[in-house]
Amino acid sequence: MKDNSRQLEFMEIDLSEEPETAAVPVPDRSTIVQSAHDTMQHRGGILSSEKRFVEEAKQWAEMEGDVSPWVPFMSYWPTYGVMNEAQRKWYMFWRKEVRQGRYPDTDLSYLFVHIYELINGIGWQNPQDGYDQLKQLWVNYRERLPQLNIYMQEWMVDYVLVHQMEMSLSEVMGLSGGYLPAEMLDRELQRILQDNVSDISLNMLHRYYDYDITLSKFYRDGGKEVMEQYIPRVMALVDSYLERTRQVGLLPECDPNGERRMERILFRKAVYDDSIYGRSVAFRYMPIGEQAEFVQMVTRIYRCTENKLRELLGFRGRLRGQTLEPELANLIERYLDKSYAIEQAESVEQPMIRIDTEKLASLQQESEYVRLALTIEDDHPSEVKDEEDNNANVASNPVDALEARNEITPTEGSMESEPSAVEITTGAQVESIRLQWDESAEADLDEEWLLFAKELSPQQVQTIHVLLGASPDTELMRLAEQYGTMPTLLLDEINDVAMETIGDLLIDADRIVPDYIDVFEHVKR
């Protein structure tokens, strides 16, 4: 035990002689409190870095950098303070280029610094100028830096709200690929329906349809562009008609007490000094998207418009489901028929005739040489005179010219001019082509099928005969070429007749629908 105690004493003496531990003083409580206070002040400085950024931005607002090499810059919280000297030089040069309308490649962090300047009110004289600069940055860098879209679609909305700009958010929605926050979309739609319905867009209405229109084959195969063109016009047409006939447009009658108040936090995730415009902005809106009656109305208008455009564009198939009331449906269809016909007529380019004056002069000169070379001196001027008069008369009357030519130079077996036998036969055949069944089969047909057969044109009857043949694909292409059209258009025209008579599509996937193939078993060929 004594040995162990001596060992313990030895260890204590050894530690007590260690100079480093002996020199450490015990801190006073007041010192700890003061240290914590200093730390909070330091942290407060970090939290107020937005204000420091704004002060520095004001000092450097007019600075223009000289040509400098690009230097990479990546920062989660990009500001001037985290740039080194080379990065700062490049930024000032790049910003000068951007302000002059040139947009060289750069890193996203540089772009954010310039955007932070603009949203804090630095670098522009009026809000519209600031908006235009933000828009140009977005437009010119969105493809090179896709991450930019995530932030700009929110910040641009905030900018418009903060400055109470008298402009549509539809442009912001277009730049963001159709995105707007739901409450902002309701607010924007309400404004358009009150001010100018024709400003509405297909993108804006996506949220208000009761199904996803982008899943439609028609939409994907070119219908999107046509719908973008016609939907605003149709919506304006229906709104005007309803206002005139029912004293209420498309805007639903909402209870004023149903209006909602929204407070939106400004410029999230940006270096923004909220002492400039405030931490948030408040606005009121009507929740139009929650009005079931409005959603049903715009959906049915869309369906009616798409079905008519499918017909005009020769697209097979029609949308089924709830339909628009006949009064409005007829209004839309008549308008589209007329509008589409006018635009098609205007789109047909008239052939442009260009005369090459030099070539014309050359041909005239050559013709003169040939005329002189073929001129024969004759000792009988009176005969020449008679022949010239005869030629003049012939030239003035082409029909007489042909008869005179036949009289002057008859050929063996010549006869009076007649249409060719092929033309006569073809005309008679086309005139007599109609869809017929055997007498026994025809007696059993419903009246709607007889009406269907009566409404078919000769080329449509030939198309049905082709579909009943052994090689419909090849023969259908040949028939379409004969009539100068496309197989799809031939089939769509038959379906249009079928919809009007038997009330259903007759052809699907380039074949007669199996449900109706029995009807054509006894068709006369």
Side-chain angles (χ1 to χ4, degrees), residues 295-347:
V295 171
Q296 290 177 5
M297 173 63 82
V298 296
T299 301
R300 291 172 183 176
I301 292 173
Y302 180 89
R303 284 177 180 271
C304 180
T305 304
E306 179 174 332
N307 277 336
K308 186 60 183 179
L309 289 174
R310 281 173 177 241
E311 174 189 331
L312 294 172
L313 295 174
F315 198 90
R316 292 205 312 274
R318 300 292 181 267
L319 296 175
R320 299 179 183 273
Q322 294 181 335
T323 57
L324 197 61
E325 58 184 280
E327 181 183 3
L328 294 178
N330 291 335
L331 174 73
I332 293 172
E333 290 172 1
R334 290 198 308 270
Y335 167 76
L336 290 176
D337 274 330
K338 183 176 180 180
S339 179
Y340 187 79
I342 292 174
E343 293 190 4
Q344 288 296 104
E346 292 176 350
S347 66

Side-chain angles (χ1 to χ4, degrees), residues 28-29 35 79 140 225 235 287 317 322 346 376 439 488 494:
D28 184 71
R29 176 176 170 80
S35 176
T79 60
N140 285 281
E225 291 75 16
M235 295 294 288
Q322 294 181 335
E346 292 176 350
I376 300 175
E439 292 181 2
T488 302
I494 294 174

Side-chain angles (χ1 to χ4, degrees), residues 354-361:
R354 293 187 176 88
I355 298 177
D356 188 332
T357 54
E358 294 182 1
K359 189 171 183 179
L360 179 61

Side-chain angles (χ1 to χ4, degrees), residues 86-219:
Q87 290 168 338
R88 194 174 295 113
K89 286 182 178 179
W90 163 255
Y91 174 74
M92 293 301 172
F93 166 69
W94 169 81
R95 189 179 67 177
K96 181 181 72 173
E97 292 291 292
V98 165
R99 286 176 173 177
Q100 294 177 358
R102 296 182 291 270
Y103 300 89
D105 290 340
T106 193
D107 288 328
L108 186 61
S109 293
Y110 287 118
L111 203 64
F112 277 150
V113 173
H114 189 27
I115 292 171
Y116 296 160
E117 293 173 345
L118 295 171
I119 65 177
N120 281 285
I122 296 163
W124 49 262
Q125 298 300 319
N126 58 74
Q128 184 63 50
D129 179 30
Y131 174 88
D132 292 338
Q133 290 188 53
L134 287 169
K135 174 186 170 183
Q136 290 305 315
L137 286 171
W138 192 3
V139 168
N140 285 281
Y141 285 103
R142 57 185 305 173
E143 293 185 3
R144 286 178 278 179
L145 301 168
Q147 310 96 309
L148 188 63
N149 290 324
I150 301 172
Y151 302 93
M152 290 300 289
Q153 63 189 17
E154 296 288 349
W155 292 344
M156 291 289 279
V157 171
D158 294 340
Y159 188 94
V160 171
L161 288 174
V162 160
H163 296 287
Q164 300 179 355
M165 301 182 69
E166 294 296 330
M167 62 169 297
S168 169
L169 284 172
S170 300
E171 183 177 42
V172 177
M173 185 175 63
L175 291 171
S176 63
Y179 168 79
L180 266 186
E183 62 278 357
M184 295 304 305
L185 190 57
D186 281 344
R187 183 174 184 265
E188 180 67 2
L189 182 60
Q190 181 181 2
R191 185 192 66 80
I192 288 177
L193 292 176
Q194 289 173 338
D195 297 345
N196 189 3
V197 182
S198 60
D199 285 343
I200 209 167
S201 68
L202 186 65
N203 264 342
M204 178 170 292
L205 292 173
H206 273 192
R207 173 177 172 246
Y208 302 96
Y209 301 132
D210 62 8
Y211 71 102
D212 188 354
I213 65 173
T214 62
L215 300 179
S216 163
K217 188 175 185 297
F218 174 76
Y219 184 93

